[in-house]
Amino acid sequence: MRISVSSDMDEPVARLLVAELRERGHEVRAHGALRAGADPRWAVCSEVAAREVAEGAAEQAVVCCWTGTGASIAANKVPGVRAALCADAATAEGARRWNDANVLALSLRLTSGPLLREILDAWFAAVPSQDGEDRHNVAHVEALDARPR
């Protein structure tokens, strides 16, 4: 799978994220502080990674900043993106299952190496629910992107 990854800081957990994704066989497209010469500001690099998902250049993205909040906010401003800030495996699994999240947001401050692996395991093991209510909710969120602002 092609995955866009952005981080506003070149932190050990961000480098571990890239290495872990590659070790799992994914093609990583790095942005922000993870790519020389790229704009590392969280709002900018998170948007770039999210836009790649929305435009089909990547199937999913992982966006990171110190708290993960700014990265998730910026990613969610891109139509077609459903970014979820996940601090544990259960939240990651639920975000994929019930929300059909296509962008994972992580905190550089709170995410340790072992926790990162647990979150990624849960994220990639989960599949979007086919339950009617869950699909209706996802469709409703998708329709919000089409509404005039």
Side-chain angles (χ1 to χ4, degrees):
M1 180 184 308
R2 191 172 315 122
I3 301 176
S4 290
V5 176
S6 69
S7 181
D8 65 339
M9 300 166 67
D10 185 11
E11 290 288 312
V13 72
R15 289 190 302 275
L16 177 61
L17 169 64
V18 170
E20 186 70 26
L21 290 172
R22 286 183 175 142
E23 187 174 303
R24 292 170 185 241
H26 300 292
E27 177 187 335
V28 175
R29 298 170 63 101
H31 302 287
L34 301 173
R35 193 180 94 215
D39 191 330
R41 293 176 295 169
W42 59 262
V44 174
C45 64
S46 298
E47 178 198 359
V48 170
R51 219 166 265 297
E52 287 192 343
V53 172
E55 295 171 355
E59 286 89 347
Q60 295 182 7
V62 183
V63 295
C64 306
C65 69
W66 193 242
T67 65
T69 306
S72 66
I73 290 169
N76 274 316
K77 294 296 182 180
V78 177
V81 167
R82 291 175 305 282
L85 175 56
C86 299
D88 57 67
T91 304
E93 192 272 335
R96 288 288 298 135
R97 180 189 298 172
W98 299 310
N99 312 127
D100 196 3
N102 52 13
V103 174
L104 171 63
L106 296 172
S107 166
L108 295 170
R109 182 178 77 83
L110 296 176
T111 309
S112 66
L115 180 58
L116 172 66
R117 289 180 188 94
E118 290 176 11
I119 290 170
L120 293 176
D121 287 346
W123 179 267
F124 290 119
V127 294
S129 169
Q130 295 308 306
D131 176 78
E133 184 176 338
D134 295 335
R135 295 314 313 159
H136 175 77
N137 281 318
V138 171
H140 182 84
V141 170
E142 288 173 340
L144 294 173
D145 288 334
R147 290 186 185 165
R149 295 183 180 221

